[in-house]
């Protein structure tokens, strides 16, 4: 999804195991999606990706499971998936 609106509509129609999201979207913030997911009481895991390291604590406190600062290597995605007990089978370091 490229917008908050699109992401929220998708959350209504499908149960996702994990979501990767940026905080800066064209019509709002990734925080809007996190709050909406929490309102729906979904078990979806959230990995926030942002260039703003200062947002890490806020993202975790809002309900994100992991914060990845940009730039990052694919190894960090593998580590995040491992932390969340997802087995990455198509990613290489």
């Amino acid at each position: 999804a490229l917008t908050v609106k699109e992401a929220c509509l998708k959350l209504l129609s499908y149960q996702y195991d994990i979501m990767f999201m940026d905080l800066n979207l064209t019509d709002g913030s990734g925080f809007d999606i996190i709050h909406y997911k929490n309102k729906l009481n979904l078990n979806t895991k959230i990995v926030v990706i942002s260039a703003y390291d200062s947002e890490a604590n806020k993202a975790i406190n809002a309900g994100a499971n992991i914060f990845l600062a940009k730039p990052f290597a694919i190894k960090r995605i593998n580590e995040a998936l491992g932390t969340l007990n997802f087995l990455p089978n198509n990613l290489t370091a």
Side-chain angles (χ1 to χ4, degrees):
L2 298 176
T3 65
V4 171
K5 181 179 179 180
E6 183 182 356
C8 290
L9 288 172
K10 287 180 180 265
L11 284 173
L12 284 174
S13 62
Y14 187 80
Q15 176 64 43
Y16 295 92
D17 294 323
I18 189 168
M19 294 171 52
F20 285 82
M21 75 175 66
D22 200 329
L23 291 179
N24 292 324
L25 301 169
T26 57
D27 64 341
S29 168
F31 288 114
D32 299 323
I33 301 168
I34 293 171
H35 296 304
Y36 187 68
K37 185 222 59 127
N38 293 341
K39 182 178 174 182
L40 295 176
N41 199 28
L42 300 175
N43 291 324
T44 305
K45 304 291 184 196
I46 297 177
V47 178
V48 169
I49 300 168
S50 179
Y52 302 103
D53 290 343
S54 60
E55 298 289 345
N57 287 333
K58 183 178 176 185
I60 298 299
N61 289 335
N65 299 92
I66 293 178
F67 182 92
L68 294 179
K70 292 179 186 176
F72 58 88
I74 192 112
K75 179 180 178 184
R76 293 286 294 131
I77 293 175
N78 283 331
E79 290 168 358
L81 292 172
T83 298
L84 296 174
N85 294 317
F86 286 89
L87 300 174
N89 54 10
N90 293 327
L91 302 176
T92 58

